């Protein structure tokens, strides 16, 4: 497609990067096994990680043994690679880390991770008799995991074929649902977001047979992510199958354009004297959504002030998926539906993705969101940023939005945070180097969370800095959002969550280094 790129050095570098990517996408099940175990474990995460890997290996070795002993193990000796893969697929078998086993996809990794979590939670506290006391605590977890996973594997051997049949039936039903199913998926996915349940809908579709099953370049591929990447890699495919991207392509439309239109509508509806402050917040949130696909700051803002606006947003989101599906759009991304990923996974892939449809559909959706939101805000006098009765202008946090609509998610404790005055004078972070800014922010975040003695753990997800505290009443959330550049703030029990986008992980590591603590 691009003759200028056809040189040996560039091709070597790009194929090298593809090999790096394949290392992750080809091994998602084992990554889930280790990742879920580590993510759920509250302490001794190293022991949990080792047990996750060991449990995964035990499960598939036991399944291989049971398939062989029962005569169900497919013999692929003498078959060509393509024939062997199809024969395994027809028998619901596959090879994982070189082990021929039942095809559990990422469900297998999730089962292992959750099992290891419960085993780890119990085993890490056990004190064994003195003669074998060396194996107490974290050392006992892998041993207990092996025993427990052997039992779980036997259960899976008998139960999974029934589950797999059910998944196949659901997959066919989803694929046959057509454009109406695409619209309902988009509507439901946004509707589940306030409850934190949207990942339960997204990831099975992206990574398992629930999202569909295709034969691409002679290989059996399940899940929309794997199917999309396989389609990009197959030079014989000139247009991506829209059934692969039907739950994905329309998200670029409302992540990049729709929510930007909503932000502009809220800015235009702000009181003139508050418009400058509201604009700086709203346009920052809109830019984050447009570039990276991180939508929380803006979505939870209008969910908080007016659930009716969010309901309209959910309908418009479903319609965006529907329109892109009907137009035959073939653009998708593993995650993050922003401009950066559109360029990487759409534009640079050429005509086969029909990436231009994002702009053809997106620009009208900008104006649809703008006029619909502006009409509703003015008609019903919704208190969007810049229209508040108080003098404060801010974006609502996830916690505020959920409390407004009555959603409770693992809340522990009842004390409300109290305002705490910072001993640090205000500072212009733009005058500091990146390293100085990170260090200064880390110091001030430590103080804003009550100081080192009040902090029990520091972690981060993709967009959030997560700091566990002993006493949340001394946490200064106002300083965090107004002076320390957080895009939002939320609580989950004694865990304080500050939204910093991709910067969250950098701050996490700096705070850990200052406090002298590890993961």
């Amino acid at each position: 497609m691009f003759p200028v790129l056809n040189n040996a050095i560039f091709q070597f570098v790009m194929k090298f990067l593809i090999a790096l990517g394949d290392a992750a996408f080809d091994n998602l099940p084992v990554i889930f096994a280790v990742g879920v175990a580590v993510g759920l474990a509250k302490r001794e995460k190293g022991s949990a990680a080792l047990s996750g890997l060991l449990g995964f290996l035990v499960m598939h070795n036991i399944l291989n043994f049971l398939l062989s002993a029962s005569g169900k193990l497919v013999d692929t000796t003498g078959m060509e690679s393509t024939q062997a893969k199809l024969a395994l697929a027809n028998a619901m078998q596959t090879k994982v880390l070189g082990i021929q086993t039942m095809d559990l996809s990422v469900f297998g990794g999730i089962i292992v991770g959750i099992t290891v979590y419960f085993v780890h939670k119990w085993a890490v506290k056990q004190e064994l008799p003195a003669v074998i006391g060396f194996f107490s605590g974290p050392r006992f977890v892998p041993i207990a995991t092996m025993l427990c996973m052997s039992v779980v594997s036997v259960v899976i051997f008998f139960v999974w074929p029934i589950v797999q049949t059910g998944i196949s039936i659901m997959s066919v039903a989803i694929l046959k649902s057509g454009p109406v199913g695409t619209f309902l998926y988009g509507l439901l996915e946004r509707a589940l977001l306030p409850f934190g349940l949207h990942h339960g809908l997204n990831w099975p579709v992206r990574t398992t047979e629930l999202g569909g099953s295709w034969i691409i370049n002679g290989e059996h591929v399940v899940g929309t992510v794997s199917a999309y990447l396989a389609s990009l890699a197959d030079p014989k495919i000139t247009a991506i199958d829209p059934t692969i991207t039907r739950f994905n392509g329309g998200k670029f439309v409302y992540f990049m354009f729709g929510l930007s239109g909503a932000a502009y509508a809220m800015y235009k509806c702000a009181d003139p004297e508050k418009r400058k402050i509201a604009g700086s917040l709203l346009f920052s949130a809109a830019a984050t959504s447009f570039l990276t696909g991180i939508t929380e700051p803006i979505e939870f803002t209008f969910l908080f002030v007016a659930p009716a606006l969010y309901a309209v947003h959910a309908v418009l989101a479903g319609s965006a998926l529907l329109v892109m599906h009907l137009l035959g759009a073939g653009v998708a991304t593993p995650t993050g539906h922003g401009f950066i990923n559109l360029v990487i996974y759409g534009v640079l892939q050429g005509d086969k993705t029909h990436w231009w449809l994002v702009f053809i559909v997106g620009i009208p959706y900008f104006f649809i969101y703008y006029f619909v939101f502006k009409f509703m805000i003015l008609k019903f006098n919704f208190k969007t940023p810049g229209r508040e009765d108080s003098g404060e202008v801010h974006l609502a946090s996830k916690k505020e939005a959920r409390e407004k609509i009555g959603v409770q998610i693992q809340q522990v404790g009842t004390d409300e945070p109290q305002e705490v005055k910072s001993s640090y004078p205000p500072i212009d972070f733009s005058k500091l180097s990146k390293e100085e800014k990170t260090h200064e922010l880390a110091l001030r975040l430590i103080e804003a969370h009550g100081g080192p003695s009040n902090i029990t753990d520091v972690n981060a997800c993709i967009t959030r800095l997560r700091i566990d505290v002993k006493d949340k009443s001394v946490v200064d959330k106002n300083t965090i959002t107004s002076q320390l550049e957080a895009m939002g703030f939320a609580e989950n029990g004694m865990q304080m969550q500050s939204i910093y986008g991709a910067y969250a992980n950098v701050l996490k590591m700096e705070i850990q280094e200052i406090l002298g603590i590890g993961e």
Side-chain angles (χ1 to χ4, degrees):
M1 292 186 297
F2 308 104
V4 69
L5 304 180
N6 189 21
N7 65 79
I9 295 177
F10 181 81
Q11 290 296 317
F12 174 82
V13 171
M14 297 309 293
K15 289 177 180 178
F16 184 86
L17 295 176
I18 289 172
L20 285 177
D22 288 344
F25 286 109
D26 292 347
N27 296 288
L28 281 176
V30 67
I31 292 172
F32 268 78
V34 176
V36 170
V38 171
L40 292 176
K42 300 300 182 185
R43 54 181 175 170
E44 298 292 345
K45 290 180 180 285
S47 175
L50 175 61
S51 299
L53 176 60
L54 185 60
F56 187 82
L57 295 173
V58 167
M59 178 179 70
H60 285 297
N61 273 286
I62 293 295
L63 289 176
N64 174 273
F65 169 78
L66 294 173
L67 287 170
S68 178
S70 62
K72 296 179 180 179
L73 195 70
V74 174
D75 185 4
T76 59
T77 305
M79 293 185 184
E80 295 181 357
S81 176
T82 301
Q83 291 178 323
K85 289 177 180 178
L86 288 176
L88 290 173
N90 290 332
M92 294 189 293
Q93 296 179 23
T94 188
K95 286 193 175 181
V96 178
L97 301 180
I99 306 167
Q100 186 171 327
T101 179
M102 299 177 76
D103 188 359
L104 308 179
S105 188
V106 296
F107 285 125
I110 294 172
I111 291 170
V112 171
I114 293 174
T115 302
V116 168
Y117 163 66
F118 286 107
V119 172
H120 178 275
K121 186 177 181 180
W122 170 79
V124 78
K125 298 183 292 185
Q126 300 306 307
E127 184 176 352
L128 302 178
V131 67
I132 53 173
F134 174 79
F135 296 102
S136 297
R139 298 183 182 90
F140 182 50
V141 178
I143 300 171
T145 296
M146 291 183 68
L147 296 174
C148 187
M149 281 309 306
S150 65
V151 176
V152 171
S153 301
V154 174
V155 175
I156 289 174
F157 178 74
F158 291 103
V159 173
W160 188 254
I162 301 172
V163 175
Q164 186 69 36
T165 301
I167 291 174
S168 298
I169 293 172
M170 290 178 64
S171 173
V172 171
I174 290 172
L175 291 175
K176 287 185 176 180
S177 63
V180 174
T182 304
F183 169 76
L184 292 175
Y185 177 90
L187 173 65
L188 181 61
E189 195 261 350
R190 287 296 95 182
L192 290 175
L193 176 67
F195 303 92
L197 300 176
H198 57 301
H199 295 306
L201 181 67
N202 282 331
W203 279 104
V205 168
R206 293 176 184 175
T207 58
T208 74
E209 194 173 356
L210 280 173
S213 175
W214 298 267
I215 301 296
I216 300 174
N217 200 19
E219 295 190 16
H220 179 245
V221 184
V222 300
T224 58
V225 170
S226 296
Y228 185 67
L229 295 177
S231 298
L232 293 180
D234 187 351
K236 297 188 296 295
I237 295 178
T238 58
I240 304 291
D241 183 354
T243 62
I244 295 174
T245 61
R246 58 188 286 208
F247 301 130
N248 205 305
K251 291 186 176 182
F252 285 109
V253 170
Y254 64 85
F255 275 43
M256 292 172 56
F257 296 95
L259 291 175
S260 296
Y264 187 56
M266 288 188 279
Y267 165 75
K268 293 293 286 185
C269 293
D271 297 335
E273 65 274 13
K274 298 179 181 178
R275 190 168 291 170
K276 184 177 181 179
I277 298 176
S280 65
L281 293 171
L282 290 167
F283 292 153
S284 174
T288 300
S289 179
F290 184 90
L291 290 173
T292 68
I294 297 171
T295 63
E296 285 182 342
I298 191 165
E299 283 184 310
F300 278 95
T301 289
F302 57 75
L303 172 64
F304 173 72
V305 298
L309 286 177
Y310 192 86
V312 170
H313 165 55
V315 173
L316 291 175
S319 71
L321 265 67
L322 169 63
V323 171
M324 291 288 278
H325 182 196
L326 292 175
L327 291 177
V331 63
T333 173
T335 185
H337 297 77
F339 180 74
I340 295 171
N341 274 358
L342 175 64
V343 172
I344 295 171
Y345 292 99
V347 178
L348 294 181
Q349 306 304 326
D351 294 347
K352 66 165 64 178
T353 66
H354 295 174
W355 56 267
W356 53 85
L357 288 172
V358 172
F359 294 91
I360 292 175
V361 177
I363 292 173
Y365 262 79
F366 174 91
F367 291 102
I368 291 172
Y369 267 79
Y370 170 74
F371 286 114
V372 170
F373 269 61
K374 184 177 180 180
F375 169 79
M376 293 188 66
I377 291 169
L378 296 178
K379 176 71 174 177
F380 300 104
N381 194 27
F382 291 139
K383 302 301 181 182
T384 49
R387 293 172 58 84
E388 302 93 341
D389 294 328
S390 65
E392 182 183 8
V393 179
H394 76 291
L395 300 184
S397 69
K398 183 183 292 186
K399 179 177 182 290
E400 290 175 320
R402 283 174 170 163
E403 287 181 346
K404 181 79 175 284
I405 62 175
V407 176
Q408 299 292 328
I409 297 184
Q410 196 183 346
Q411 297 296 330
V412 181
T414 57
D415 294 334
E416 288 296 322
Q418 300 172 4
E419 185 175 356
V420 180
K421 300 297 183 182
S422 173
S423 62
Y424 285 108
I427 187 172
D428 185 355
F429 289 108
S430 64
K431 295 181 179 179
L432 303 179
S433 67
K434 289 183 179 179
E435 293 77 12
E436 291 172 337
K437 175 183 176 180
T438 299
H439 186 72
E440 190 66 30
L441 267 177
L443 289 173
R444 294 176 181 237
L445 280 166
I446 291 171
E447 185 192 40
H449 285 82
S453 62
N454 194 46
I455 296 174
T456 60
D457 189 37
V458 180
N459 217 314
C461 64
I462 296 176
T463 62
R464 291 170 177 246
L465 174 67
R466 301 171 182 265
I467 298 181
D468 293 352
V469 297
K470 299 176 184 175
D471 181 3
K472 67 179 182 179
S473 68
V474 299
V475 176
D476 186 1
K477 69 176 184 180
N478 296 322
T479 294
I480 294 170
T481 53
S482 64
Q483 298 181 28
L484 304 184
E485 300 190 345
M487 292 180 285
F489 183 88
E491 297 178 21
N492 185 3
M494 302 305 287
Q495 184 181 86
M496 307 295 107
Q497 303 177 0
S498 303
I499 301 173
Y500 279 99
Y503 195 40
N505 198 55
V506 177
L507 287 171
K508 175 202 77 171
M509 292 186 290
E510 185 70 17
I511 293 172
Q512 287 179 336
E513 184 173 342
I514 292 172
L515 296 179
I517 61 176
E519 292 283 359

